[in-house]
Amino acid sequence: MYVLHSFTVLFVWSMVPSLITGDNRYKQGDTVMLYVNKVGPYHNPQETYHYYQLPVCAPTQVRHKSLTLGEVLDGDRMAESMYKISFRLNIEREALCELKLSVSQVEELRKAIEELYYFEFVLDDIPIRGFVGYMEESGFLPHTHKIGLWSHLDINIEYNEDRIIFANVSVRDVKPFSLDDVREPLSLTHTYSVRWFPTSVTYERRGDRLRDSSFFPKSLEIHWLSIINSMVLVFLLLGFVVIILMRVLKSDLARYNLDEEGTDDMEQGDNGWKIIHTDVFRFPPYRSLLCAVLGVGSQFLALGTGIIVMVLLGMFNVHRHGAINSAAILLYALTCCISGYVSSNFYRQMGGDRWVWNIVLTTSLFSAPFFFTWSVVNSVHWANGSTQALPATTILLLITVWLLVGFPLTVIGGIFGKNSAGNFEAPCRTKNIAREIPSQPWYKSAPVHMAIGGFLPFSAISVELYYIFATVWGREQYTLYGILFIVFAILLSVGACISVALTYFQLSGEDYRWWWRSIMSTGSTGAFIFLYSVFYYWRRSNMSGVVQTVEFFGYSFLTAYVFFLMLGTVSFVASLRFIRYIYVNLKMD
């Protein structure tokens, strides 16, 4: 336990810098370090390479910056640059280095510029981005194809008293160095200028300044009307389902209880959901797997809610590199106890006795698919030399976190869940012999229920889903976390209501196999999300290449799987509570 505690403290401490905002103060003339970070194609956000992989000005001995876990997972590989910057001291056309480029190196630069490579520097935790070169192409006759390299950069820095507020690079008045028709080695000199500008923007508002002047285009500011429209439609849907269902249910209860008292007992026999009261609580097959789904789904519900709440409370700086990655890993490790507790507790209530196997199944239900997907994606990145490929030390750290934190907490949660579990306490006794299920019409089949139960929750988030995809797989910076929290709550509410309605229609057809159906019906929203990711890739993005494609579809599959687990859990809990309610209020012999 001492080793576990010590490692947990060190692990959390290693991620603290990414959860808070740096606070560097300078005096005039102090050295301000500019780090080079990565380069990559503009349209492939996850295909990045180290800046010094290009034939650019590089020191004789490259010294890398110590990075947090979140920064490493984000593909950052910061290294000290050759730029000499002093606080509030302007520099004009200072020579950075003189490069002698071979023909192959020139061709490498030409290819990078044709693929719209951009670079990323970091100055005082501020990302500075710009394009490596310039390309001009004309489709009119005579056809022209000009490629130039930006050999001079103007670095503009804004400051407020002793703090840096904003920084960017500009090539507005710079003529690109032509790389056309190069058939022999060439020499060129890289230069730079540094200009300091005072600003009234406070350090606390620095994040707003970064967002308002981003290198990437912004389009996340104008979708309030779409969000309001989605919310109105969702509330109308929920109201319709709740009112109609409650009216029908009230009528059923009145009729069944009247029949029970003998009013029409000779003329009208039992039918509908009352007649299956001796089978509706019959435990389903694969109980251990069902409980594992509920456990992992509960964990991700807590994880997603925790991250959104942390952002809303300002507990970490979302503009800092890898902040959300660090928070997600930390919360995932700590919430493993939830999956173990929920799974083992419900498994014991259902009479399960192989609780050790249940714990193993629970802890591997997400980690096994994640590890397989990550292995494929990481191998592709490694084979192509991308910075998104994790170093061996980071891989060992993550495995150690799972072995020393995640898995033990799952076991501890499972032990507490097993020991605190009571009886299932079904309101109806279950007969030994199962009742025969009558044939069902096509509109009550499982595929139809999955289509309805998946499409309606998906429609509730379809608008916001585009902006989330544009953030994760594009160049946007998402900041509307209040709206995201509301949409997340609406998604769960719609999933619960639709699940209750579909479960009622299933029971009305005298089909008592609701356990797995309730999970699959609303959990199928994950399939719609994956289909949307395919649509987004082909119709809404310019991504291409093996590296970006493998990463996109690999992690889109995992995202859809997580939504299946979360919404399947919400759907099951809502259906279980609904069924308990109607059978508790039903008068029976």
Side-chain angles (χ1 to χ4, degrees), residues 316-329:
F316 60 87
N317 179 16
V318 296
H319 299 286
R320 190 180 177 95
H321 284 245
I324 292 184
N325 289 339
S326 298
I329 292 177

Side-chain angles (χ1 to χ4, degrees), residues 66 159-160 185 237 250 286 291 299-300 373 432 572 586:
S66 178
Y159 68 93
N160 187 329
L237 173 64
K250 184 177 180 180
Y286 311 111
C291 295
Q299 177 186 0
F300 277 105
T373 303
N432 294 330
F572 177 85
L586 182 66

Side-chain angles (χ1 to χ4, degrees), residues 359-424:
I359 292 297
V360 174
L361 183 61
T362 301
T363 196
S364 59
L365 191 64
F366 175 76
S367 58
F370 173 81
F371 181 77
F372 174 77
T373 303
W374 170 83
S375 298
V376 174
V377 173
N378 198 68
S379 298
V380 172
H381 280 299
W382 176 81
N384 288 272
S386 171
T387 60
Q388 298 289 334
L390 296 184
T393 53
T394 305
I395 297 174
L396 291 176
L397 174 63
L398 294 176
I399 293 176
T400 306
V401 168
W402 187 80
L403 291 176
L404 297 185
V405 180
F407 183 72
L409 285 179
T410 306
V411 174
I412 293 172
I415 293 174
F416 276 99
K418 176 179 70 72
N419 294 336
S420 62
N423 297 324
F424 186 73

Side-chain angles (χ1 to χ4, degrees), residues 502-537:
L502 293 177
T503 299
Y504 171 79
F505 294 135
Q506 181 183 359
L507 298 181
S508 296
E510 300 179 13
D511 185 353
Y512 51 82
R513 299 168 301 182
W514 63 273
W515 301 78
W516 278 108
R517 177 78 68 85
S518 64
I519 291 177
M520 301 299 294
S521 60
T522 310
S524 61
T525 304
F528 282 88
I529 291 176
F530 184 78
L531 292 176
Y532 177 82
S533 70
V534 176
F535 168 79
Y536 181 87
Y537 181 87

Side-chain angles (χ1 to χ4, degrees), residues 37-41 47-51 53 117 384-387 547:
N37 191 11
K38 53 191 176 184
V39 295
E47 184 181 350
T48 56
Y49 306 94
H50 197 286
Y51 180 76
Q53 287 183 241
Y117 267 48
N384 288 272
S386 171
T387 60
V547 175

Side-chain angles (χ1 to χ4, degrees), residues 151-356:
S151 58
H152 177 84
L153 295 178
D154 289 326
I155 303 175
N156 305 306
I157 308 174
E158 298 178 7
Y159 68 93
N160 187 329
E161 296 181 352
D162 57 352
R163 290 173 166 178
I164 296 176
I165 304 299
F166 177 74
N168 68 356
V169 294
S170 173
V171 291
R172 180 175 301 174
D173 300 321
V174 179
K175 182 179 180 180
F177 185 91
S178 177
L179 299 180
D180 296 324
D181 300 324
V182 176
R183 294 182 173 83
E184 58 184 21
L186 58 81
S187 298
L188 71 130
T189 301
H190 280 272
T191 58
Y192 67 99
S193 299
V194 179
R195 300 184 181 97
W196 293 85
F197 302 93
T199 180
S200 60
V201 178
T202 62
Y203 186 80
E204 289 71 22
R205 306 294 297 178
R206 186 168 81 156
D208 296 335
R209 180 72 177 90
L210 295 175
R211 184 179 65 249
D212 295 338
S213 302
S214 174
F215 169 72
F216 304 116
K218 300 181 289 297
S219 61
L220 297 184
E221 310 292 340
I222 55 175
H223 67 294
W224 285 96
L225 185 60
S226 300
I227 294 298
I228 294 174
N229 180 58
S230 178
M231 292 174 62
V232 171
L233 291 176
V234 166
F235 284 129
L236 289 176
L237 173 64
L238 293 179
F240 176 79
V241 170
V242 171
I243 293 174
I244 297 299
L245 198 58
M246 291 305 295
R247 288 176 62 89
V248 172
L249 187 59
K250 184 177 180 180
S251 175
D252 283 352
L253 286 172
R255 176 165 58 88
Y256 289 159
N257 289 334
L258 188 64
D259 290 347
E260 190 66 32
E261 292 171 2
T263 304
D264 300 317
D265 198 43
M266 298 299 296
E267 303 175 4
Q268 176 177 322
D270 288 348
N271 56 63
W273 53 266
K274 177 186 177 182
I275 198 172
I276 60 173
H277 67 273
T278 57
D279 295 283
V280 73
F281 292 103
R282 186 180 305 279
F283 294 143
Y286 311 111
R287 286 176 290 176
S288 184
L289 179 59
L290 184 140
C291 295
V293 169
L294 299 180
V296 179
S298 301
Q299 177 186 0
F300 277 105
L301 285 171
L303 175 62
T305 304
I307 290 178
I308 298 176
V309 170
M310 286 175 67
V311 176
L312 292 176
L313 295 178
M315 296 181 65
F316 60 87
N317 179 16
V318 296
H319 299 286
R320 190 180 177 95
H321 284 245
I324 292 184
N325 289 339
S326 298
I329 292 177
L330 174 62
L331 285 180
Y332 177 80
L334 297 179
T335 55
C336 282
C337 57
I338 296 177
S339 63
Y341 179 87
V342 172
S343 177
S344 183
N345 184 276
F346 199 67
Y347 182 65
R348 194 60 178 261
Q349 289 185 40
M350 297 176 70
D353 52 5
R354 300 179 61 190
W355 72 274
V356 174

Side-chain angles (χ1 to χ4, degrees), residues 123-135:
L123 185 145
D124 196 52
D125 292 328
I126 299 173
I128 303 175
R129 302 181 179 98
F131 285 106
V132 172
Y134 166 83
M135 181 174 67

